[in-house]
């Protein structure tokens, strides 16, 4: 067998060049993309060591075969209980690496073709979950605004609801990204290094002004930091939202037992804008969607809009089902002819 396929040093060099040359230099991938690829390889290498007994330093390209990858994907779903979407994202990373290996090492072409032929799994798309206006108001009022953490959490929830930001966008907001003078707005750093500016409601801008003075934040700091002044993590945000939901459930029983995530609040923003009559293309820009087609899911999720549309439809009567009855005045007129 070709020594390139059995040499652990060659496999290690390919992985290193994939990250350093392909992702960083050639594709200029974002730090978030690099981190996601890094997590996939870390889990795959740990799984390979467990299953075939080879530590990462002794793993060769020949070990990186379709059987290992298929078993790894099964492990993600069965043992780690990852969703199909997460499984597909991990597979996309592995297929990208296989494509790079095929270009760099033609001897491994058959091996990489087999990996690239692994299909993505289809999955059911659940209906979008969102909060009613009453539930959202109860959630906003839940944190104790007399404390530092409570005030920070109130700003966090208000920003998520006002902007419809993804959690990664929220934790990336710095004080310098907020404009509070003429036209209050916030600059969000979105997926694929795209940036967009979202207007702030007057109430939101007033709360942020108070928060900046209360927390004594500097321009380079995160707008919603931890107590140590560092940017919050995704898990931090999820925990604070879960805490607010538990508190809000005392005033709003409908929230009892509800699973509310940062993305639930993003859906809530979109739905409330849609119900207020905002054009769907504007909502797509607001949320940073590539296309309004992505935003159409909110129309499908809004039952009240469907009911209103149904009420506007006048179904034509079937032939012979409705008979014409002339008025009395018309009958008298006909009799006098």
């Amino acid at each position: 067998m070709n020594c390139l396929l059995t040499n652990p040093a060659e496999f290690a060099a390919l992985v290193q060049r994939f990250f350093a040359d392909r992702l960083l230099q050639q594709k200029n991938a974002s730090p978030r993309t690099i981190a996601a690829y890094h997590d996939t390889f870390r889990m795959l290498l740990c799984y390979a060591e467990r299953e075939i007994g080879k530590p990462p330093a002794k793993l060769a390209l020949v070990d990186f075969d379709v059987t290992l990858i298929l078993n790894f994907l099964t492990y993600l779903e069965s043992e780690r209980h990852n969703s199909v979407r997460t499984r597909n994202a991990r597979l996309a990373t592995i297929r990208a690496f296989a494509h790079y290996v095929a270009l760099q090492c033609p001897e491994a072409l058959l091996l990489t073709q087999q990996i690239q032929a692994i299909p993505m799994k289809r999955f059911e798309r659940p209906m979008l979950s969102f909060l009613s206006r009453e539930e959202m108001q109860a959630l906003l009022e839940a944190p104790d605004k007399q404390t530092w953490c409570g005030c920070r959490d109130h700003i966090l929830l208000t920003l998520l609801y006002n902007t419809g930001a993804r959690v990664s966008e929220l934790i990336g907001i710095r004080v310098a990204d907020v404009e509070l003078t003429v036209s209050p707005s916030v600059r969000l750093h979105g997926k694929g290094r795209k940036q967009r500016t979202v207007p702030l409601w007057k109430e939101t801008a007033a709360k942020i002004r108070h928060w900046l003075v209360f927390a004594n934040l500097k321009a380079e700091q995160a707008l919603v930091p931890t107590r140590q002044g560092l940017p919050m993590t995704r898990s931090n945000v999820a925990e604070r939202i879960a805490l607010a939901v538990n508190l809000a459930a005392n005033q709003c029983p409908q929230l009892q037992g509800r699973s509310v995530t940062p993305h639930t609040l993003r859906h809530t923003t979109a739905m409330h804008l849609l119900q207020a009559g905002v054009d769907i293309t504007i909502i797509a820009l607001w949320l940073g969607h590539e296309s309004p087609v992505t935003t159409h899911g909110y129309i499908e999720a809004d039952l009240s809009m469907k009911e209103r549309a149904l009420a506007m439809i006048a179904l034509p009567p079937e032939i012979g089902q409705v008979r014409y009855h002339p008025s009395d005045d018309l009958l008298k007129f006909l009799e006098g002819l």
Side-chain angles (χ1 to χ4, degrees), residues 180-253:
L180 298 174
T181 54
V182 181
S183 299
S185 62
V186 61
R187 184 168 59 254
L188 300 178
H189 306 272
K191 295 170 63 177
R193 293 182 175 173
K194 296 184 180 69
Q195 295 187 11
R196 70 184 187 281
T197 300
V198 179
L200 295 175
W201 301 322
K202 292 182 179 179
E203 297 82 357
T204 304
K207 292 175 182 178
I208 292 176
R209 289 190 191 97
H210 176 267
W211 167 242
L212 293 179
V213 175
F214 180 80
N216 192 28
L217 298 177
K218 304 297 186 293
E220 68 279 1
Q221 285 186 274
L223 184 61
V224 284
T226 63
R227 286 303 298 258
Q228 291 74 34
L230 301 174
M232 298 180 72
T233 64
R234 294 170 180 264
S235 59
N236 288 154
V237 175
E239 289 169 2
R240 302 311 297 183
I241 292 176
L243 177 61
V245 170
N246 289 334
L247 293 172
N250 296 325
Q251 302 298 325
C252 186

Side-chain angles (χ1 to χ4, degrees), residues 19 34-46 72 76 86 89-94:
F19 278 89
I34 299 293
Y37 277 46
H38 172 272
D39 287 345
T40 298
F41 269 87
R42 178 182 53 80
M43 285 187 285
L44 177 58
L45 294 176
C46 290
F72 172 67
L76 291 178
T86 301
R90 303 299 185 194
L91 176 58
T93 297
I94 295 169

